């Protein structure tokens, strides 16, 4: 197979009248379902341990602060906006919108991740201190790893976008990775509500 | 598709070249053919089956007489832990995935799985996680905290060696393979079906694999979390399960059994799918109550998530919660009963040919009946408290997991291996193997019910004489040796068939489903030269022979005819009605799945030996694999 032919099939071509979702979309949807179960299991564990504890957080740890985290929550959730912007752009064949959208997503995602690292430095308890600390770091850490994984994938999209691999007809990868990014954002709503907000409501 | 003219048009040999793997080791590590991968899954799983079986025989040698001294208590702990772990994680689960890998695409009438490279990846992860766990045997430090690894016993303070780390990390590693495989099964079933194969025409085996895959997607994350939190406690000193630091040992049991009970059905449901294919073929009539049977498989999938606490009846939970789980455990007998009556009705209304696969199906039904009845018994709280942790429980779960899963697997071997190798297995040897296994099985496991009532506790390495347990224990040992011998007879039958077996031809059993519609046994690399058109639930039993689809000239239908086989393409269809939708290019050979799996293995080894450098090497390897994979999204650049 020559390179030209290989390039031609690099991104699957979908007929415009295709009725259903692509294979890649289905694969990502099922993968997201199982990932969602991982978070559901961990958050349930958090609630389970908390329900059995006399005080929460354990060991006189202060509840997590609710200042800056609101701002970075807004940043992360807001990053779904440029993702939509990029997807809709490439659907119409607009390369500039795709590149701009992806760039904004990367910046917003990276700043959220940066804040997570900063917060870890500021926190006065460690992962070994008690079950509260273990759960807090495990859940926020796993979510952070998902943000990092998403950023890597978006970085790859970005490179492909600059190489002009996508077009109005061929952009399934953008839609599928976009779906993953939205998932990571939605999970944060649950993590934030359970680990930050609910601790202040006792 | 500009360069199609350069590709061969139809000539047989030229088509073969497009599909054939590179010869030798290169092809071995890079193949993405679902048939090769499926066979490998089956063979690899059987290696683990015999290792785990030998461990059981050593345990029996120890228990044959009172106060025997064949193995030390420490070794005995390792034996029962790894016997269970290997049978569940390295034999039952993957061998069913192997049959699914081989048979499912053929039954759906497509040329490969939806994600062929992911399929190769899940096999490599299975193999490497198996080697990871079994290497504990080679260094004599097998896990020894029970196959369910309850805390606090398995915490570092009480199990200080490396033993349980093999378990905790190995289970999480193997879970990746199961999960990825399930994603593949689900998408393949929904998106890769031959024209005319609407959902109400799916073969029962496909229904069962689908139900199994959904259970995997929602259940396996729980055991992954359970084992990784355990490892975090052990390796990094976290406090998830440490009660002194506010953690919860009971949390571990909830997480483990939230996977653990659906897991029983993850194994049992595909086994019933095999039985539901075998019985109609040899009763020579369609399965009675198809819709009810399919609905039961789905119902089991749902209810299986509401029964996990029946493993925890003795932990002192609130009565209301236990009543709920007791009720659910009773209710799940209903769909299982529906399936059972479907099989009986099929045989009743048909003319049964007593071939070896059919014998295994019948043996399965008798054993499953007993295992099901004792299952209902232990679902009742007061009864459960009486027999908890006794040999009654051991008898029950072997009737279910050995009898009702291993027997269908052996039946499926005799049924489908002729398709996979092109040669029949010897029927006479098959009958010998079946009867030896069947008699041996019941001799080995039935007396355990009685031993349980007599009070013999499970998981103990010896017992004092004079308790009335000796005679039964001798019978059990004889039975288990006999069972082992019976399985070896099948090995002999398989080996002999490879050289001297009768040629099978495309459809030796005059069966009904599409895997038997391929031009030859084993099927050609591309499965179907032209995709078959399905006009009923039993394509090969219709009055008209199966028709071949033809290629159209749009992107949705261009792969239906032989042109698709020439171009290494296969059609993608809509979820419910299997209408043409688009065309998928089947990726060529690639080392990337192997590299990624190897990277993961190195990461896990790094964690095991607590060497950061090894972990970093693994991370780099895995990242290299992932990036290469992501870069070549849909086709390999050769």
């Amino acid at each position: 197979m020559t390179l030209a032919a290989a390039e031609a099939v690099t991104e699957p071509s979908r007929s415009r009248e295709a009725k259903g979702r692509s294979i890649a979309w289905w694969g990502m949807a099922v993968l997201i379902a199982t990932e969602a179960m991982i978070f559901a299991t961990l958050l349930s564990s958090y609630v389970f341990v908390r329900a059995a504890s006399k005080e929460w957080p354990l060991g006189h740890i202060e509840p997590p602060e609710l200042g800056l985290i609101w701002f970075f929550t807004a940043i992360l959730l807001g990053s779904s906006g440029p993702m939509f912007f990029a997807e809709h752009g490439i659907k119409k064949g607009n390369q500039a919108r795709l590149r701009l959208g992806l760039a904004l997503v990367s910046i917003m995602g990276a700043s959220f991740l940066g804040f997570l690292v900063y917060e870890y430095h500021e926190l006065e308890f460690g992962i070994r201190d008690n079950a509260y600390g273990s759960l807090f770091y495990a859940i926020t850490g796993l979510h952070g790893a998902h943000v990092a994984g998403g950023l890597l994938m978006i970085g790859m999209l970005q490179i492909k976008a600059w190489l002009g691999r996508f077009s109005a007809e061929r952009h399934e990868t953008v839609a599928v990775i976009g779906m993953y990014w939205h998932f990571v954002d939605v999970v944060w709503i649950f993590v934030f509500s359970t680990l930050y907000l609910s601790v202040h409501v006792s | 598709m500009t360069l199609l003219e350069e590709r061969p048009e139809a000539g047989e040999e030229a088509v073969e070249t497009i599909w054939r793997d590179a010869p030798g080791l290169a092809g071995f590590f890079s193949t993405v053919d679902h048939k090769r991968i499926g066979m490998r899954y089956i063979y690899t799983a059987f290696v683990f089956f015999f290792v785990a079986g030998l461990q059981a025989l050593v345990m029996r040698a120890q228990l044959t007489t009172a106060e025997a001294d064949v193995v030390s208590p420490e070794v005995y702990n390792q034996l029962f832990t790894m016997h269970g772990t290997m049978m569940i994680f390295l034999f039952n689960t993957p061998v069913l995935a192997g049959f699914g890998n081989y048979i499912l695409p053929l039954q759906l009438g497509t040329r490969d799985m939806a994600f062929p490279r992911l399929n190769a990846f899940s096999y490599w992860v299975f193999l490497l996680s198996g080697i990871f766990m079994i290497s504990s045997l080679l260094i004599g430090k097998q896990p020894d905290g029970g196959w369910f690894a309850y805390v606090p016993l398995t915490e570092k303070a009480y199990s200080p060696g490396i033993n349980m780390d093999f378990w905790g990390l190995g289970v999480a590693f193997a879970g990746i393979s199961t999960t990825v495989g399930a994603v593949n099964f689900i998408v393949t079933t929904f998106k890769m079906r031959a024209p005319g194969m609407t959902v109400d025409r799916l073969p029962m085996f496909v229904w069962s694999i689908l139900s199994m895959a959904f259970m995997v997607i929602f259940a396996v994350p729980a055991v992954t979390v359970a084992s990784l939190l355990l490892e975090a406690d052990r390796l990094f000193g976290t406090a998830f399960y440490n009660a002194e630091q506010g953690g919860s040992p009971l949390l571990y049991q909830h997480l483990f059994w939230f996977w653990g009970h659906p897991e029983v059905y993850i194994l049992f449901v595909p086994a019933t799918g095999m039985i539901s294919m075998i019985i109609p073929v040899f009763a020579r009539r369609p399965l009675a109550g198809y819709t009810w049977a399919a609905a039961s498989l789905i119902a089991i999938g749902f209810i299986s998530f509401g029964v996990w606490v029946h493993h925890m009846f003795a932990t002192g939970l609130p009565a209301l919660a236990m009543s709920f789980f007791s009720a659910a455990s009773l209710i799940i007998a209903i769909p299982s009963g529906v399936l059972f009556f479907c099989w009986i009705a099929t045989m009743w209304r048909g003319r049964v040919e007593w071939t070896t696969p059919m014998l295994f199906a019948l043996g399965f039904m008798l054993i499953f009946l007993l295992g099901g009845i004792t299952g209902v018994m232990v679902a009742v709280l007061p009864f459960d408290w009486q027999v908890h942790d006794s040999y009654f429980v051991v008898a029950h779960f072997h009737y279910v997991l050995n009898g009702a899963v291993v027997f269908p697997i052996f039946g499926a071997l005799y049924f489908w291996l002729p398709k996979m190798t092109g040669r029949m297995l010897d029927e006479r040897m098959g009958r010998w193997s079946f009867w030896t296994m069947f008699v041996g099985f019941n001799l080995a496991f039935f007396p355990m019910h009685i031993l349980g009532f007599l009070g013999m506790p499970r998981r103990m390495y010896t017992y004092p004489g004079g308790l009335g347990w000796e005679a039964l224990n001798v019978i059990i040992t004889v039975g288990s040796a006999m069972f082992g011998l019976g399985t070896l007879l099948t090995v002999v039958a398989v080996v002999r068939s490879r050289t001297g077996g009768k040629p099978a031809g495309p459809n030796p059993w005059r069966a009904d489903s599409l895997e038997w519609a391929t031009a030859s046994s084993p099927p050609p690399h591309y499965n179907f030269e032209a995709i078959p058109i399905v006009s009923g639930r039993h394509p090969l039993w219709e009055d008209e022979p199966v028709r071949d689809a033809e290629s159209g000239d749009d992107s949705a239908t261009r792969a239906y005819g032989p042109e698709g086989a020439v171009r290494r393409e296969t059609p993608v269809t809509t979820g419910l009605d299997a209408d043409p939708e688009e065309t998928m290019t089947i990726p060529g050979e690639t080392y990337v799945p192997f590299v990624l799996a190897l990277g993961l293995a190195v990461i896990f080894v790094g964690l095991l030996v607590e060497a950061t450098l090894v972990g970093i090497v693994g991370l780099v390897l895995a990242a290299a694999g992932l990036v290469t994979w992501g870069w070549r999204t849909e086709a390999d650049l050769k």
Side-chain angles (χ1 to χ4, degrees), chain A residues 2 14 20-21 34 128 131, chain B residues 3 191 217 236 245 581-582:
Chain A
T2 67
R14 285 168 56 74
R21 303 289 193 169
T34 199
R128 292 186 188 84
Chain B
L3 295 178
K191 299 298 288 181
I217 291 300
F236 309 124
Q245 289 177 279
E581 191 170 81
E582 59 178 311

Side-chain angles (χ1 to χ4, degrees), chain B residues 247-262:
Chain B
S248 169
L250 204 56
L251 171 65
Y252 178 86
Q253 294 195 20
H254 278 295
L255 293 176
F256 186 84
W257 290 116
F258 187 82
W259 160 83
H261 207 87

Side-chain angles (χ1 to χ4, degrees), chain B residues 156 165 169 230-237 607-608 610:
Chain B
K156 200 80 179 171
D165 296 317
L169 297 167
L230 173 64
E231 277 310 309
D233 274 9
R234 289 178 58 84
L235 297 173
F236 309 124
L607 284 168
L608 179 75
E610 298 182 58

Side-chain angles (χ1 to χ4, degrees), chain B residues 265-284:
Chain B
Y265 293 95
I266 286 168
L267 305 175
F268 172 67
V269 160
T272 65
M274 293 167 160
I275 295 297
S276 304
M277 297 309 292
I278 292 173
I279 288 182
V281 167
F282 296 108
R284 309 231 65 81

Side-chain angles (χ1 to χ4, degrees), chain A residues 38-140:
Chain A
I38 292 190
F39 281 102
T41 312
L42 278 169
L43 290 173
S44 310
S45 304
Y46 180 91
V47 173
F48 184 87
V49 172
R50 180 180 175 178
S53 304
K54 289 206 176 62
E55 48 159 359
W56 198 260
L58 292 163
H60 311 296
I61 294 169
E62 287 296 310
E65 267 183 57
L66 282 181
L68 279 171
I69 192 69
W70 274 110
F71 174 72
F72 283 97
T73 298
I75 293 275
L76 183 68
L77 299 186
S79 72
S80 272
M83 195 69 230
F84 279 121
F85 177 76
E87 281 174 58
H88 285 281
I90 194 61
K91 265 187 197 158
K92 296 183 189 126
N94 189 333
Q95 301 286 349
R97 271 182 67 175
L98 175 68
R99 290 166 197 168
L100 178 64
L102 290 175
L104 280 174
V105 176
S106 306
I107 294 169
M108 293 166 93
S111 58
F112 177 85
L113 208 56
F115 176 71
L116 183 71
V117 176
Y118 164 79
E119 195 189 21
Y120 278 5
H121 272 287
E122 296 294 303
L123 286 175
E124 283 172 359
F125 59 94
I127 193 167
R128 292 186 188 84
D129 288 5
N130 56 34
Y132 171 79
S134 300
L135 283 161
F136 182 89
Y137 281 100
I139 296 171
T140 51

